[in-house]
Amino acid sequence: DLNTNAPVTGPKVDSMSNIREPDMAFAEAVKKAGGKTLDLCYQCGTCTASCPSGRRTAFRTRQLIRKAQLGLKDDILGSDELWMCTTCYSCVERCPRDVEIVDIILLMRNMAVQKGYMAEAHKKIGASLMKVGATVPFGDDMRKLRADMGLPANPPTTAGNEKAMEDFRKIMRRTGFDKLLGGN
């Protein structure tokens, strides 16, 4: 169940030993939401070794999956690491146990968003989506480039169709997507 009502307040720590208390209901919620292969991971590290994001950042796929297995919800939902996955699927293609790593990460991102967490970069992409109907900004420079190439200034997408764009925005508002972005 993705709708756990417990607030995310930070890791539960035993004051005497600095040990975090697992929330196994979180691990079960991940599995129930579609992450059924979570328990197949035996921490071989193939995912982390094949991760292009991990080569350039502190992102360690294996650690994120292990925290999910251990039910360390508070360590995951508010973490920057949760948003460092580029969803390239290199880890999934190489996993010897066929763990659906990217799907599990996306499920946990959904859980984080439900608790009010979203990376700023993802909010900016969402704002562009709401503004122009595309995740890549589309402005006058792109229109000029298209015209110079002999193409219509606006592509045959929501960017070129005001009715489609308004319908799209209406859907985004009805689903609450605009509120996830802070109302932008």
Side-chain angles (χ1 to χ4, degrees), residues 47 50-61 63-64 76-89 91 101-102 105-106 108-109 112 118-122:
C47 55
S50 63
C51 178
S53 184
R55 290 186 199 113
R56 292 174 176 74
T57 68
F59 181 54
R60 300 294 174 258
T61 314
Q63 289 177 353
L64 192 60
I76 295 171
L77 296 186
S79 74
D80 292 336
E81 290 79 22
L82 183 58
W83 299 94
M84 290 182 180
C85 174
T86 63
T87 66
C88 72
Y89 284 84
C91 55
I101 300 160
V102 174
I105 289 171
L106 292 174
M108 293 188 300
R109 282 183 184 175
M118 185 186 285
E120 286 304 313
H122 285 74

PDB file of all heavy atoms in Angstrom, residues 47 50-61 63-64 76-89 91 101-102 105-106 108-109 112 118-122:
ATOM      1  N   CYS A  47      24.719  -4.218 -10.099  1.00  0.00           N
ATOM      2  CA  CYS A  47      23.946  -3.017 -10.435  1.00  0.00           C
ATOM      3  C   CYS A  47      24.781  -1.754 -10.236  1.00  0.00           C
ATOM      4  O   CYS A  47      24.830  -0.885 -11.110  1.00  0.00           O
ATOM      5  CB  CYS A  47      22.666  -2.961  -9.605  1.00  0.00           C
ATOM      6  SG  CYS A  47      22.917  -3.061  -7.820  1.00  0.00           S
ATOM      7  N   SER A  50      27.547  -1.356 -12.840  1.00  0.00           N
ATOM      8  CA  SER A  50      27.124  -1.029 -14.204  1.00  0.00           C
ATOM      9  C   SER A  50      26.405   0.309 -14.306  1.00  0.00           C
ATOM     10  O   SER A  50      26.026   0.717 -15.395  1.00  0.00           O
ATOM     11  CB  SER A  50      26.220  -2.144 -14.750  1.00  0.00           C
ATOM     12  OG  SER A  50      25.052  -2.256 -13.986  1.00  0.00           O
ATOM     13  N   CYS A  51      26.263   1.015 -13.199  1.00  0.00           N
ATOM     14  CA  CYS A  51      25.483   2.250 -13.171  1.00  0.00           C
ATOM     15  C   CYS A  51      26.289   3.461 -13.652  1.00  0.00           C
ATOM     16  O   CYS A  51      27.256   3.863 -13.001  1.00  0.00           O
ATOM     17  CB  CYS A  51      24.980   2.501 -11.751  1.00  0.00           C
ATOM     18  SG  CYS A  51      24.047   4.025 -11.576  1.00  0.00           S
ATOM     19  N   PRO A  52      25.889   4.079 -14.776  1.00  0.00           N
ATOM     20  CA  PRO A  52      26.606   5.265 -15.234  1.00  0.00           C
ATOM     21  C   PRO A  52      26.463   6.447 -14.282  1.00  0.00           C
ATOM     22  O   PRO A  52      27.375   7.253 -14.148  1.00  0.00           O
ATOM     23  CB  PRO A  52      25.987   5.575 -16.597  1.00  0.00           C
ATOM     24  CG  PRO A  52      24.787   4.731 -16.732  1.00  0.00           C
ATOM     25  CD  PRO A  52      24.820   3.674 -15.684  1.00  0.00           C
ATOM     26  N   SER A  53      25.347   6.558 -13.601  1.00  0.00           N
ATOM     27  CA  SER A  53      25.156   7.639 -12.648  1.00  0.00           C
ATOM     28  C   SER A  53      26.098   7.466 -11.455  1.00  0.00           C
ATOM     29  O   SER A  53      26.643   8.436 -10.942  1.00  0.00           O
ATOM     30  CB  SER A  53      23.701   7.683 -12.172  1.00  0.00           C
ATOM     31  OG  SER A  53      23.484   8.769 -11.315  1.00  0.00           O
ATOM     32  N   GLY A  54      26.291   6.233 -11.046  1.00  0.00           N
ATOM     33  CA  GLY A  54      27.164   5.943  -9.911  1.00  0.00           C
ATOM     34  C   GLY A  54      28.622   6.273 -10.170  1.00  0.00           C
ATOM     35  O   GLY A  54      29.392   6.493  -9.239  1.00  0.00           O
ATOM     36  N   ARG A  55      28.999   6.320 -11.435  1.00  0.00           N
ATOM     37  CA  ARG A  55      30.388   6.666 -11.772  1.00  0.00           C
ATOM     38  C   ARG A  55      30.667   8.144 -11.539  1.00  0.00           C
ATOM     39  O   ARG A  55      31.815   8.549 -11.399  1.00  0.00           O
ATOM     40  CB  ARG A  55      30.680   6.324 -13.234  1.00  0.00           C
ATOM     41  CG  ARG A  55      30.731   4.843 -13.480  1.00  0.00           C
ATOM     42  CD  ARG A  55      31.161   4.541 -14.925  1.00  0.00           C
ATOM     43  NE  ARG A  55      30.744   3.183 -15.210  1.00  0.00           N
ATOM     44  CZ  ARG A  55      29.803   2.858 -16.086  1.00  0.00           C
ATOM     45  NH1 ARG A  55      29.215   3.779 -16.805  1.00  0.00           N
ATOM     46  NH2 ARG A  55      29.464   1.608 -16.264  1.00  0.00           N
ATOM     47  N   ARG A  56      29.609   8.956 -11.536  1.00  0.00           N
ATOM     48  CA  ARG A  56      29.785  10.405 -11.443  1.00  0.00           C
ATOM     49  C   ARG A  56      29.207  11.020 -10.170  1.00  0.00           C
ATOM     50  O   ARG A  56      29.370  12.197  -9.931  1.00  0.00           O
ATOM     51  CB  ARG A  56      29.138  11.055 -12.657  1.00  0.00           C
ATOM     52  CG  ARG A  56      29.861  10.731 -13.934  1.00  0.00           C
ATOM     53  CD  ARG A  56      29.122  11.252 -15.146  1.00  0.00           C
ATOM     54  NE  ARG A  56      29.845  11.044 -16.377  1.00  0.00           N
ATOM     55  CZ  ARG A  56      29.983   9.883 -16.998  1.00  0.00           C
ATOM     56  NH1 ARG A  56      29.435   8.807 -16.478  1.00  0.00           N
ATOM     57  NH2 ARG A  56      30.651   9.767 -18.115  1.00  0.00           N
ATOM     58  N   THR A  57      28.504  10.205  -9.396  1.00  0.00           N
ATOM     59  CA  THR A  57      27.856  10.714  -8.185  1.00  0.00           C
ATOM     60  C   THR A  57      28.073   9.738  -7.030  1.00  0.00           C
ATOM     61  O   THR A  57      28.732   8.715  -7.192  1.00  0.00           O
ATOM     62  CB  THR A  57      26.331  10.875  -8.396  1.00  0.00           C
ATOM     63  OG1 THR A  57      25.748   9.568  -8.532  1.00  0.00           O
ATOM     64  CG2 THR A  57      26.000  11.720  -9.614  1.00  0.00           C
ATOM     65  N   ALA A  58      27.474  10.044  -5.917  1.00  0.00           N
ATOM     66  CA  ALA A  58      27.548   9.157  -4.742  1.00  0.00           C
ATOM     67  C   ALA A  58      26.478   8.068  -4.795  1.00  0.00           C
ATOM     68  O   ALA A  58      26.333   7.310  -3.850  1.00  0.00           O
ATOM     69  CB  ALA A  58      27.376   9.987  -3.475  1.00  0.00           C
ATOM     70  N   PHE A  59      25.752   7.970  -5.888  1.00  0.00           N
ATOM     71  CA  PHE A  59      24.658   7.009  -6.010  1.00  0.00           C
ATOM     72  C   PHE A  59      25.186   5.584  -6.034  1.00  0.00           C
ATOM     73  O   PHE A  59      26.052   5.240  -6.835  1.00  0.00           O
ATOM     74  CB  PHE A  59      23.862   7.299  -7.285  1.00  0.00           C
ATOM     75  CG  PHE A  59      22.690   6.380  -7.494  1.00  0.00           C
ATOM     76  CD1 PHE A  59      21.725   6.217  -6.526  1.00  0.00           C
ATOM     77  CD2 PHE A  59      22.550   5.684  -8.681  1.00  0.00           C
ATOM     78  CE1 PHE A  59      20.638   5.378  -6.722  1.00  0.00           C
ATOM     79  CE2 PHE A  59      21.474   4.851  -8.891  1.00  0.00           C
ATOM     80  CZ  PHE A  59      20.515   4.695  -7.908  1.00  0.00           C
ATOM     81  N   ARG A  60      24.668   4.756  -5.145  1.00  0.00           N
ATOM     82  CA  ARG A  60      25.011   3.343  -5.078  1.00  0.00           C
ATOM     83  C   ARG A  60      23.709   2.548  -5.094  1.00  0.00           C
ATOM     84  O   ARG A  60      23.030   2.423  -4.083  1.00  0.00           O
ATOM     85  CB  ARG A  60      25.826   3.019  -3.828  1.00  0.00           C
ATOM     86  CG  ARG A  60      27.141   3.777  -3.722  1.00  0.00           C
ATOM     87  CD  ARG A  60      28.116   3.343  -4.835  1.00  0.00           C
ATOM     88  NE  ARG A  60      29.316   4.152  -4.847  1.00  0.00           N
ATOM     89  CZ  ARG A  60      29.562   5.140  -5.701  1.00  0.00           C
ATOM     90  NH1 ARG A  60      28.665   5.489  -6.604  1.00  0.00           N
ATOM     91  NH2 ARG A  60      30.686   5.803  -5.678  1.00  0.00           N
ATOM     92  N   THR A  61      23.386   2.021  -6.266  1.00  0.00           N
ATOM     93  CA  THR A  61      22.138   1.292  -6.472  1.00  0.00           C
ATOM     94  C   THR A  61      21.960   0.199  -5.426  1.00  0.00           C
ATOM     95  O   THR A  61      20.890   0.051  -4.841  1.00  0.00           O
ATOM     96  CB  THR A  61      22.133   0.662  -7.884  1.00  0.00           C
ATOM     97  OG1 THR A  61      22.572   1.618  -8.815  1.00  0.00           O
ATOM     98  CG2 THR A  61      20.759   0.163  -8.244  1.00  0.00           C
ATOM     99  N   GLN A  63      23.080  -0.147  -2.431  1.00  0.00           N
ATOM    100  CA  GLN A  63      22.747   0.360  -1.094  1.00  0.00           C
ATOM    101  C   GLN A  63      21.284   0.754  -0.995  1.00  0.00           C
ATOM    102  O   GLN A  63      20.632   0.489   0.011  1.00  0.00           O
ATOM    103  CB  GLN A  63      23.631   1.557  -0.730  1.00  0.00           C
ATOM    104  CG  GLN A  63      25.056   1.195  -0.456  1.00  0.00           C
ATOM    105  CD  GLN A  63      25.907   2.422  -0.160  1.00  0.00           C
ATOM    106  OE1 GLN A  63      25.453   3.554  -0.277  1.00  0.00           O
ATOM    107  NE2 GLN A  63      27.157   2.191   0.213  1.00  0.00           N
ATOM    108  N   LEU A  64      20.764   1.381  -2.037  1.00  0.00           N
ATOM    109  CA  LEU A  64      19.362   1.792  -2.027  1.00  0.00           C
ATOM    110  C   LEU A  64      18.448   0.568  -1.967  1.00  0.00           C
ATOM    111  O   LEU A  64      17.481   0.541  -1.190  1.00  0.00           O
ATOM    112  CB  LEU A  64      19.067   2.632  -3.276  1.00  0.00           C
ATOM    113  CG  LEU A  64      17.746   3.374  -3.304  1.00  0.00           C
ATOM    114  CD1 LEU A  64      17.642   4.363  -2.147  1.00  0.00           C
ATOM    115  CD2 LEU A  64      17.587   4.100  -4.619  1.00  0.00           C
ATOM    116  N   ILE A  76      15.386   6.373   2.953  1.00  0.00           N
ATOM    117  CA  ILE A  76      15.178   6.368   1.506  1.00  0.00           C
ATOM    118  C   ILE A  76      14.341   7.540   1.030  1.00  0.00           C
ATOM    119  O   ILE A  76      14.740   8.271   0.131  1.00  0.00           O
ATOM    120  CB  ILE A  76      14.504   5.049   1.057  1.00  0.00           C
ATOM    121  CG1 ILE A  76      15.435   3.872   1.321  1.00  0.00           C
ATOM    122  CG2 ILE A  76      14.117   5.113  -0.411  1.00  0.00           C
ATOM    123  CD1 ILE A  76      14.774   2.527   1.118  1.00  0.00           C
ATOM    124  N   LEU A  77      13.161   7.723   1.602  1.00  0.00           N
ATOM    125  CA  LEU A  77      12.190   8.648   1.030  1.00  0.00           C
ATOM    126  C   LEU A  77      12.667  10.088   0.940  1.00  0.00           C
ATOM    127  O   LEU A  77      12.344  10.777  -0.022  1.00  0.00           O
ATOM    128  CB  LEU A  77      10.865   8.566   1.790  1.00  0.00           C
ATOM    129  CG  LEU A  77      10.148   7.223   1.710  1.00  0.00           C
ATOM    130  CD1 LEU A  77       8.790   7.305   2.376  1.00  0.00           C
ATOM    131  CD2 LEU A  77      10.024   6.720   0.294  1.00  0.00           C
ATOM    132  N   GLY A  78      13.429  10.555   1.878  1.00  0.00           N
ATOM    133  CA  GLY A  78      13.909  11.932   1.833  1.00  0.00           C
ATOM    134  C   GLY A  78      15.312  12.075   1.272  1.00  0.00           C
ATOM    135  O   GLY A  78      15.880  13.160   1.298  1.00  0.00           O
ATOM    136  N   SER A  79      15.856  10.993   0.713  1.00  0.00           N
ATOM    137  CA  SER A  79      17.254  11.023   0.278  1.00  0.00           C
ATOM    138  C   SER A  79      17.418  11.564  -1.140  1.00  0.00           C
ATOM    139  O   SER A  79      16.556  11.381  -1.999  1.00  0.00           O
ATOM    140  CB  SER A  79      17.862   9.617   0.353  1.00  0.00           C
ATOM    141  OG  SER A  79      17.376   8.818  -0.703  1.00  0.00           O
ATOM    142  N   ASP A  80      18.542  12.201  -1.364  1.00  0.00           N
ATOM    143  CA  ASP A  80      18.890  12.663  -2.712  1.00  0.00           C
ATOM    144  C   ASP A  80      19.180  11.475  -3.630  1.00  0.00           C
ATOM    145  O   ASP A  80      18.925  11.535  -4.828  1.00  0.00           O
ATOM    146  CB  ASP A  80      20.122  13.569  -2.670  1.00  0.00           C
ATOM    147  CG  ASP A  80      19.858  14.895  -1.979  1.00  0.00           C
ATOM    148  OD1 ASP A  80      18.683  15.325  -1.936  1.00  0.00           O
ATOM    149  OD2 ASP A  80      20.826  15.494  -1.475  1.00  0.00           O
ATOM    150  N   GLU A  81      19.727  10.402  -3.059  1.00  0.00           N
ATOM    151  CA  GLU A  81      20.120   9.237  -3.845  1.00  0.00           C
ATOM    152  C   GLU A  81      18.936   8.635  -4.616  1.00  0.00           C
ATOM    153  O   GLU A  81      19.104   8.128  -5.713  1.00  0.00           O
ATOM    154  CB  GLU A  81      20.753   8.159  -2.959  1.00  0.00           C
ATOM    155  CG  GLU A  81      22.112   8.528  -2.428  1.00  0.00           C
ATOM    156  CD  GLU A  81      22.055   9.477  -1.232  1.00  0.00           C
ATOM    157  OE1 GLU A  81      21.010   9.537  -0.542  1.00  0.00           O
ATOM    158  OE2 GLU A  81      23.051  10.170  -1.002  1.00  0.00           O
ATOM    159  N   LEU A  82      17.767   8.704  -4.036  1.00  0.00           N
ATOM    160  CA  LEU A  82      16.586   8.136  -4.677  1.00  0.00           C
ATOM    161  C   LEU A  82      16.344   8.761  -6.049  1.00  0.00           C
ATOM    162  O   LEU A  82      15.809   8.125  -6.950  1.00  0.00           O
ATOM    163  CB  LEU A  82      15.362   8.333  -3.774  1.00  0.00           C
ATOM    164  CG  LEU A  82      14.047   7.738  -4.237  1.00  0.00           C
ATOM    165  CD1 LEU A  82      14.165   6.230  -4.438  1.00  0.00           C
ATOM    166  CD2 LEU A  82      12.955   8.050  -3.225  1.00  0.00           C
ATOM    167  N   TRP A  83      16.795   9.987  -6.240  1.00  0.00           N
ATOM    168  CA  TRP A  83      16.534  10.726  -7.475  1.00  0.00           C
ATOM    169  C   TRP A  83      17.730  10.712  -8.421  1.00  0.00           C
ATOM    170  O   TRP A  83      17.678  11.315  -9.493  1.00  0.00           O
ATOM    171  CB  TRP A  83      16.135  12.156  -7.122  1.00  0.00           C
ATOM    172  CG  TRP A  83      14.900  12.147  -6.298  1.00  0.00           C
ATOM    173  CD1 TRP A  83      14.819  12.157  -4.925  1.00  0.00           C
ATOM    174  CD2 TRP A  83      13.559  12.061  -6.759  1.00  0.00           C
ATOM    175  NE1 TRP A  83      13.518  12.087  -4.528  1.00  0.00           N
ATOM    176  CE2 TRP A  83      12.710  12.028  -5.634  1.00  0.00           C
ATOM    177  CE3 TRP A  83      12.990  12.015  -8.025  1.00  0.00           C
ATOM    178  CZ2 TRP A  83      11.330  11.950  -5.734  1.00  0.00           C
ATOM    179  CZ3 TRP A  83      11.611  11.937  -8.127  1.00  0.00           C
ATOM    180  CH2 TRP A  83      10.797  11.907  -6.985  1.00  0.00           C
ATOM    181  N   MET A  84      18.812  10.033  -8.077  1.00  0.00           N
ATOM    182  CA  MET A  84      20.004  10.022  -8.921  1.00  0.00           C
ATOM    183  C   MET A  84      19.950   8.969 -10.028  1.00  0.00           C
ATOM    184  O   MET A  84      20.737   9.019 -10.963  1.00  0.00           O
ATOM    185  CB  MET A  84      21.250   9.804  -8.070  1.00  0.00           C
ATOM    186  CG  MET A  84      21.582  10.982  -7.205  1.00  0.00           C
ATOM    187  SD  MET A  84      23.091  10.656  -6.285  1.00  0.00           S
ATOM    188  CE  MET A  84      23.228  12.175  -5.368  1.00  0.00           C
ATOM    189  N   CYS A  85      19.059   8.030  -9.947  1.00  0.00           N
ATOM    190  CA  CYS A  85      18.906   7.004 -10.979  1.00  0.00           C
ATOM    191  C   CYS A  85      18.389   7.661 -12.256  1.00  0.00           C
ATOM    192  O   CYS A  85      17.412   8.407 -12.231  1.00  0.00           O
ATOM    193  CB  CYS A  85      17.930   5.926 -10.502  1.00  0.00           C
ATOM    194  SG  CYS A  85      17.521   4.702 -11.754  1.00  0.00           S
ATOM    195  N   THR A  86      19.042   7.378 -13.381  1.00  0.00           N
ATOM    196  CA  THR A  86      18.624   7.951 -14.659  1.00  0.00           C
ATOM    197  C   THR A  86      17.661   7.041 -15.418  1.00  0.00           C
ATOM    198  O   THR A  86      17.284   7.352 -16.543  1.00  0.00           O
ATOM    199  CB  THR A  86      19.837   8.232 -15.564  1.00  0.00           C
ATOM    200  OG1 THR A  86      20.479   6.986 -15.859  1.00  0.00           O
ATOM    201  CG2 THR A  86      20.813   9.198 -14.907  1.00  0.00           C
ATOM    202  N   THR A  87      17.282   5.935 -14.825  1.00  0.00           N
ATOM    203  CA  THR A  87      16.379   4.934 -15.411  1.00  0.00           C
ATOM    204  C   THR A  87      16.889   4.425 -16.753  1.00  0.00           C
ATOM    205  O   THR A  87      16.115   4.188 -17.677  1.00  0.00           O
ATOM    206  CB  THR A  87      14.922   5.453 -15.543  1.00  0.00           C
ATOM    207  OG1 THR A  87      14.866   6.515 -16.487  1.00  0.00           O
ATOM    208  CG2 THR A  87      14.366   5.912 -14.211  1.00  0.00           C
ATOM    209  N   CYS A  88      18.193   4.190 -16.854  1.00  0.00           N
ATOM    210  CA  CYS A  88      18.788   3.681 -18.090  1.00  0.00           C
ATOM    211  C   CYS A  88      18.637   2.163 -18.210  1.00  0.00           C
ATOM    212  O   CYS A  88      18.822   1.617 -19.290  1.00  0.00           O
ATOM    213  CB  CYS A  88      20.263   4.065 -18.176  1.00  0.00           C
ATOM    214  SG  CYS A  88      21.336   3.167 -17.019  1.00  0.00           S
ATOM    215  N   TYR A  89      18.335   1.499 -17.122  1.00  0.00           N
ATOM    216  CA  TYR A  89      18.112   0.046 -17.067  1.00  0.00           C
ATOM    217  C   TYR A  89      19.382  -0.780 -17.240  1.00  0.00           C
ATOM    218  O   TYR A  89      19.304  -1.990 -17.443  1.00  0.00           O
ATOM    219  CB  TYR A  89      17.033  -0.393 -18.062  1.00  0.00           C
ATOM    220  CG  TYR A  89      15.633  -0.059 -17.593  1.00  0.00           C
ATOM    221  CD1 TYR A  89      15.096   1.200 -17.822  1.00  0.00           C
ATOM    222  CD2 TYR A  89      14.859  -0.987 -16.909  1.00  0.00           C
ATOM    223  CE1 TYR A  89      13.812   1.521 -17.391  1.00  0.00           C
ATOM    224  CE2 TYR A  89      13.581  -0.680 -16.472  1.00  0.00           C
ATOM    225  CZ  TYR A  89      13.062   0.578 -16.713  1.00  0.00           C
ATOM    226  OH  TYR A  89      11.813   0.891 -16.279  1.00  0.00           O
ATOM    227  N   CYS A  91      21.416  -1.582 -14.949  1.00  0.00           N
ATOM    228  CA  CYS A  91      21.432  -2.486 -13.797  1.00  0.00           C
ATOM    229  C   CYS A  91      20.511  -3.683 -14.014  1.00  0.00           C
ATOM    230  O   CYS A  91      20.872  -4.828 -13.717  1.00  0.00           O
ATOM    231  CB  CYS A  91      21.033  -1.734 -12.527  1.00  0.00           C
ATOM    232  SG  CYS A  91      19.437  -0.883 -12.634  1.00  0.00           S
ATOM    233  N   ILE A 101      15.137  -3.529 -10.653  1.00  0.00           N
ATOM    234  CA  ILE A 101      15.710  -2.455  -9.844  1.00  0.00           C
ATOM    235  C   ILE A 101      15.092  -1.097 -10.169  1.00  0.00           C
ATOM    236  O   ILE A 101      14.666  -0.368  -9.265  1.00  0.00           O
ATOM    237  CB  ILE A 101      17.244  -2.417 -10.027  1.00  0.00           C
ATOM    238  CG1 ILE A 101      17.842  -3.757  -9.595  1.00  0.00           C
ATOM    239  CG2 ILE A 101      17.863  -1.261  -9.258  1.00  0.00           C
ATOM    240  CD1 ILE A 101      19.224  -4.029 -10.151  1.00  0.00           C
ATOM    241  N   VAL A 102      15.037  -0.743 -11.435  1.00  0.00           N
ATOM    242  CA  VAL A 102      14.520   0.569 -11.816  1.00  0.00           C
ATOM    243  C   VAL A 102      13.050   0.694 -11.421  1.00  0.00           C
ATOM    244  O   VAL A 102      12.630   1.734 -10.902  1.00  0.00           O
ATOM    245  CB  VAL A 102      14.723   0.836 -13.322  1.00  0.00           C
ATOM    246  CG1 VAL A 102      14.053   2.140 -13.742  1.00  0.00           C
ATOM    247  CG2 VAL A 102      16.213   0.875 -13.649  1.00  0.00           C
ATOM    248  N   ILE A 105      12.899   1.389  -7.790  1.00  0.00           N
ATOM    249  CA  ILE A 105      13.283   2.776  -7.503  1.00  0.00           C
ATOM    250  C   ILE A 105      12.134   3.722  -7.856  1.00  0.00           C
ATOM    251  O   ILE A 105      11.823   4.646  -7.095  1.00  0.00           O
ATOM    252  CB  ILE A 105      14.581   3.147  -8.248  1.00  0.00           C
ATOM    253  CG1 ILE A 105      15.767   2.403  -7.607  1.00  0.00           C
ATOM    254  CG2 ILE A 105      14.815   4.660  -8.251  1.00  0.00           C
ATOM    255  CD1 ILE A 105      17.074   2.513  -8.366  1.00  0.00           C
ATOM    256  N   LEU A 106      11.479   3.486  -8.996  1.00  0.00           N
ATOM    257  CA  LEU A 106      10.356   4.343  -9.377  1.00  0.00           C
ATOM    258  C   LEU A 106       9.204   4.216  -8.385  1.00  0.00           C
ATOM    259  O   LEU A 106       8.548   5.224  -8.064  1.00  0.00           O
ATOM    260  CB  LEU A 106       9.897   4.015 -10.803  1.00  0.00           C
ATOM    261  CG  LEU A 106      10.898   4.372 -11.903  1.00  0.00           C
ATOM    262  CD1 LEU A 106      10.411   3.867 -13.254  1.00  0.00           C
ATOM    263  CD2 LEU A 106      11.172   5.856 -11.938  1.00  0.00           C
ATOM    264  N   MET A 108       9.521   3.602  -5.209  1.00  0.00           N
ATOM    265  CA  MET A 108       9.923   4.348  -4.015  1.00  0.00           C
ATOM    266  C   MET A 108       9.881   5.851  -4.265  1.00  0.00           C
ATOM    267  O   MET A 108       9.567   6.625  -3.356  1.00  0.00           O
ATOM    268  CB  MET A 108      11.303   3.885  -3.537  1.00  0.00           C
ATOM    269  CG  MET A 108      11.264   2.449  -3.020  1.00  0.00           C
ATOM    270  SD  MET A 108      12.782   1.876  -2.210  1.00  0.00           S
ATOM    271  CE  MET A 108      14.006   2.023  -3.487  1.00  0.00           C
ATOM    272  N   ARG A 109      10.159   6.287  -5.481  1.00  0.00           N
ATOM    273  CA  ARG A 109      10.010   7.711  -5.812  1.00  0.00           C
ATOM    274  C   ARG A 109       8.542   8.122  -5.665  1.00  0.00           C
ATOM    275  O   ARG A 109       8.249   9.204  -5.153  1.00  0.00           O
ATOM    276  CB  ARG A 109      10.474   7.994  -7.236  1.00  0.00           C
ATOM    277  CG  ARG A 109      11.960   8.067  -7.394  1.00  0.00           C
ATOM    278  CD  ARG A 109      12.303   8.413  -8.817  1.00  0.00           C
ATOM    279  NE  ARG A 109      13.733   8.408  -9.017  1.00  0.00           N
ATOM    280  CZ  ARG A 109      14.313   8.585 -10.198  1.00  0.00           C
ATOM    281  NH1 ARG A 109      13.572   8.788 -11.284  1.00  0.00           N
ATOM    282  NH2 ARG A 109      15.617   8.555 -10.310  1.00  0.00           N
ATOM    283  N   ALA A 112       7.878   8.581  -2.129  1.00  0.00           N
ATOM    284  CA  ALA A 112       8.496   9.821  -1.653  1.00  0.00           C
ATOM    285  C   ALA A 112       7.653  11.027  -2.042  1.00  0.00           C
ATOM    286  O   ALA A 112       7.421  11.932  -1.224  1.00  0.00           O
ATOM    287  CB  ALA A 112       9.913   9.950  -2.218  1.00  0.00           C
ATOM    288  N   MET A 118      10.433  15.578  -3.561  1.00  0.00           N
ATOM    289  CA  MET A 118      10.745  15.474  -4.983  1.00  0.00           C
ATOM    290  C   MET A 118      12.006  16.295  -5.212  1.00  0.00           C
ATOM    291  O   MET A 118      12.133  17.409  -4.690  1.00  0.00           O
ATOM    292  CB  MET A 118       9.607  16.011  -5.861  1.00  0.00           C
ATOM    293  CG  MET A 118       9.855  15.814  -7.349  1.00  0.00           C
ATOM    294  SD  MET A 118       8.611  16.585  -8.429  1.00  0.00           S
ATOM    295  CE  MET A 118       7.253  15.467  -8.248  1.00  0.00           C
ATOM    296  N   ALA A 119      12.922  15.749  -5.980  1.00  0.00           N
ATOM    297  CA  ALA A 119      14.162  16.459  -6.270  1.00  0.00           C
ATOM    298  C   ALA A 119      13.859  17.740  -7.043  1.00  0.00           C
ATOM    299  O   ALA A 119      12.952  17.777  -7.871  1.00  0.00           O
ATOM    300  CB  ALA A 119      15.099  15.567  -7.079  1.00  0.00           C
ATOM    301  N   GLU A 120      14.620  18.788  -6.773  1.00  0.00           N
ATOM    302  CA  GLU A 120      14.408  20.078  -7.439  1.00  0.00           C
ATOM    303  C   GLU A 120      14.521  19.954  -8.955  1.00  0.00           C
ATOM    304  O   GLU A 120      13.747  20.577  -9.680  1.00  0.00           O
ATOM    305  CB  GLU A 120      15.375  21.131  -6.908  1.00  0.00           C
ATOM    306  CG  GLU A 120      15.024  21.632  -5.523  1.00  0.00           C
ATOM    307  CD  GLU A 120      13.612  22.188  -5.414  1.00  0.00           C
ATOM    308  OE1 GLU A 120      13.197  22.988  -6.290  1.00  0.00           O
ATOM    309  OE2 GLU A 120      12.894  21.808  -4.470  1.00  0.00           O
ATOM    310  N   ALA A 121      15.467  19.162  -9.429  1.00  0.00           N
ATOM    311  CA  ALA A 121      15.618  19.000 -10.881  1.00  0.00           C
ATOM    312  C   ALA A 121      14.358  18.393 -11.492  1.00  0.00           C
ATOM    313  O   ALA A 121      13.941  18.791 -12.582  1.00  0.00           O
ATOM    314  CB  ALA A 121      16.830  18.121 -11.191  1.00  0.00           C
ATOM    315  N   HIS A 122      13.750  17.460 -10.781  1.00  0.00           N
ATOM    316  CA  HIS A 122      12.522  16.846 -11.284  1.00  0.00           C
ATOM    317  C   HIS A 122      11.358  17.845 -11.246  1.00  0.00           C
ATOM    318  O   HIS A 122      10.496  17.830 -12.122  1.00  0.00           O
ATOM    319  CB  HIS A 122      12.174  15.594 -10.479  1.00  0.00           C
ATOM    320  CG  HIS A 122      13.055  14.431 -10.813  1.00  0.00           C
ATOM    321  ND1 HIS A 122      14.357  14.340 -10.395  1.00  0.00           N
ATOM    322  CD2 HIS A 122      12.815  13.323 -11.535  1.00  0.00           C
ATOM    323  CE1 HIS A 122      14.886  13.222 -10.840  1.00  0.00           C
ATOM    324  NE2 HIS A 122      13.974  12.578 -11.542  1.00  0.00           N
TER     325      HIS A 122
END
